[in-house]
Amino acid sequence: MKRHAMTGCLLLAALGVYAQTQGKDSLRVVNLQEVEIISTRATGNTPVAFTNVTKEELKKQNFGQDLPYLLSMTPSAITTSDAGAGIGYTTLRVRGTDATRINVTANGIPINDAESHAVFWVNLPDFASSVKDMQIQRGAGTSTNGAGAFGASINMQTGDFSLKPYAEFNGSYGSFNTHKETVKVGTGLIDGHWSFDARLSNIATDGYIDRAEVGLNSYYLQGGYYNDNTSIKLITFAGKERTYHAWNYASKEEMEEFGRRYNSCGLMFTDDNGVQHFYEDQTDNYTQKNYQLLLNHNFTSQWNLNVGLHYTKGDGYYQEYKDGRKLIEYGMQPYEVNGETVKKSDLVRKKAMDNWFGGGIFSVTYKNDRLNASVGGALNRYDGDHFGRVLWVKNYLGYLNPDNDYYRNNATKNDGNLYLKANYELGGGVSAYADMQYRHITYKINGDNDKWNSATNTLQKLGINEKFDFFNPKAGLSWQINRNNRLYGSFSVAHKEPTRNNYTDGLLNEPPKAERLFDYELGYTYANSWLNLGANLYYMDYKDQLVLTGELNEIGEAIAANVPDSYRMGIELMAGLKLPCGFQWDINATLSKNRIKNFVETLYGYDDEWNDLPGVKINHGTTHIAFSPDFILNNRFGYAYKGFEASLQSQYVGKQYMSNMDIEDHRLDAYFVSNLNLAYTFKLPRLKSVTVGCTVYNLFNEKYENNGWASRYYKNSPQIQSNSAGYAAQAGTNVLGHVSIRF
């Protein structure tokens, strides 16, 4: 109720701002310099595969789902959702590569978590409402800041200033009690130089999966000074999330017994009547605040300078119920009850993080008739504490201090890079591109891990002190054959350091290795006023690629392991048709082959008492890389007439294996999902526009799973193997109504 009241107050305040300033005509100023960090972006002459997504395209889909789902129709992209409806913990994969290998920046500033390398979109609720445009580069792409791009990079530019004051309300409500409220206001240009904008958003849902509730709040504030040659912008945005765990997924047997929406996270016990009881506070809680100061200055028409300073503060925790845990692993001593020694008990634990990330970026660009060159780089620092506490123990007779850490470690990371890139027109429509980047990383973790070392009867000790020096050259040619036809090719080298989880989830005697990628791209595009065609061939040759194993760690994060030799190769086909009658057709498809050469599995075993048995090596030959379908097809039909718009989006994703052994019991079946969106825009007195609409997700009620986990082990003998798998069931047909009012 308080959130809705706050939304209403902001809307009234926005109307007041609009009423006070609507009489000022700021259209007289049209040449002000906007802040744009574009040195890491590709242009029409850059020989890489990329897709630009505009603000208008995002707005037509942005009714509550997380940002990955707004990009799901771009080539080679697939999405996943723990809660089953696209809100909460969602991920994006491109060319089969997971989130830890997709570089993400906002205004050129790294967004990837410095340790996990992933972007947790749940910490950036409704960020799409503040984005001006996005560019998705596939493959190694151009040099960028932050974690290495091993499958794709996503470059986001936040909104620029508005010449006139405005106020806007966007709201939606639908299935699973899903709702979103967003208020945006802007002053327009004040005194010809100043502009201020604000956004406040609330998103919540019960989720499709049982108890997968999500509550998200966020804000975005920016103020800027602009003149003909210089612009300065201060931005702050933050997100606060509370999400019930839904990462266990469900086995086929559990789905058959309890239904597709079954969620075992937080299960405490089953009573005598067969009713399961769950821990109500099995939640993830996190707050992330971001600050950016951006400067852009044009010295001349040829020379440009961009500088950005940033700081991010993160603070949060997981809270979860765990059954049958050894007390000694949590820093507690066994106790006696009725003459029996109790060594295990049920408990509630809290695993927390407290971290900050800050630094700066810069780029200097020179441009004349034939040469476009830039030099840039970044220097960033991360410092994070990881610690755990026990909040409650069932029937515990000893002293329990919920403020006492049972483990704690600290991680620091320094990440610096310099790059020089240039595009030179040789003549005859041919341009040569060269891009060189040097990157240096130091990474340290010290303290106790949260895992037990049975050999020493203590928590594992972390003493990681790593240094990496990477040189990442790229080169290519682009040939603008004529006005409509373009041909390009490139070769890129990329390196990437392991993530935190690669160290803490791996074997103590087998530290992870850095990855290397040789990326070959060859593409062709055709474009005229009504037709666009494109084809891109790629071959990505990896050494020591960290591929997903299919297993999850104790907090639902995917585990990865190095494989010596692997590759991803394929062709991306794209076509777009736009007719004067208002009809639009966009289609893209990816046919690929993602393989590990000579994959060797280590099969682990247990005896009848669940004691560890030695691992057994099994050579499987060439196998599919986990979570990498060989075929993806995206199709969109759109029609617009006056204020009416309709679109039908469809995606087909071929079968995937959730492990790397080509085991059928570890397979995700192919699926075909369609979404129908209808909207009508009209005007009312004193309103710029009103849009009402409805989106029907999964129109044909496809029963499918788009994510999961898989593992296997042997019992007593390697010949007695057991396969296990869990599946992330997705919602059937569901509806979301939406309205947008612009003042």
Side-chain angles (χ1 to χ4, degrees), residues 2 14 32 232 262 343:
K2 291 181 180 179
L32 298 183
I232 302 174
Y262 180 68
K343 296 182 179 181

Side-chain angles (χ1 to χ4, degrees), residues 77-117:
I78 57 176
T79 53
T80 72
S81 171
D82 281 3
I87 301 175
Y89 270 96
T90 59
T91 66
L92 177 73
R93 297 189 183 118
V94 180
R95 291 186 179 176
T97 56
D98 68 298
T100 65
R101 281 144 190 85
I102 299 175
N103 172 277
V104 181
T105 58
N107 303 315
I109 291 171
I111 297 297
N112 298 74
D113 179 79
E115 286 200 279
S116 72
H117 299 190

Side-chain angles (χ1 to χ4, degrees), residues 258 262 267-277:
F258 303 110
Y262 180 68
L267 177 63
M268 298 172 66
F269 64 92
T270 302
D271 63 24
D272 294 337
N273 297 319
V275 178
Q276 294 185 335
H277 296 260

Side-chain angles (χ1 to χ4, degrees), residues 302 366-374 421-425 432:
Q302 295 178 320
Y366 173 80
K367 185 176 182 180
N368 63 25
D369 292 340
R370 302 183 69 176
L371 175 65
N372 188 347
S374 62
K421 61 178 71 174
N423 199 86
Y424 185 75
E425 293 186 18

Side-chain angles (χ1 to χ4, degrees), residues 234-348:
L234 177 63
I235 301 172
T236 177
F237 53 94
K240 182 178 181 180
E241 62 93 6
R242 179 180 173 85
T243 307
Y244 194 94
H245 298 181
W247 56 52
N248 279 3
Y249 310 132
S251 66
K252 294 294 186 182
E253 294 76 16
E254 288 173 327
M255 288 185 187
E256 185 174 342
E257 182 177 359
F258 303 110
R260 287 177 51 79
R261 304 173 73 167
Y262 180 68
N263 178 15
S264 64
C265 289
L267 177 63
M268 298 172 66
F269 64 92
T270 302
D271 63 24
D272 294 337
N273 297 319
V275 178
Q276 294 185 335
H277 296 260
F278 296 88
Y279 179 55
E280 293 183 356
D281 205 12
Q282 184 95 355
T283 55
D284 170 51
N285 305 265
Y286 200 81
T287 300
Q288 181 174 291
K289 299 177 181 178
N290 301 264
Y291 306 90
Q292 298 182 355
L293 178 63
L294 308 174
L295 166 69
N296 179 278
H297 179 70
N298 286 332
F299 295 99
T300 67
S301 60
Q302 295 178 320
W303 288 94
N304 173 267
L305 169 69
N306 281 299
V307 176
L309 299 176
H310 66 91
Y311 178 80
T312 299
K313 183 68 176 70
D315 184 17
Y317 63 91
Y318 298 93
Q319 192 160 299
E320 52 189 345
Y321 185 96
K322 309 298 285 187
D323 64 335
R325 291 299 167 125
K326 293 180 180 179
L327 297 177
I328 194 172
E329 295 184 9
Y330 292 85
M332 295 177 289
Q333 296 301 315
Y335 60 95
E336 288 192 4
V337 176
N338 298 326
E340 292 187 8
T341 301
V342 178
K343 296 182 179 181
K344 295 181 179 180
S345 185
D346 299 350
L347 53 84
V348 173

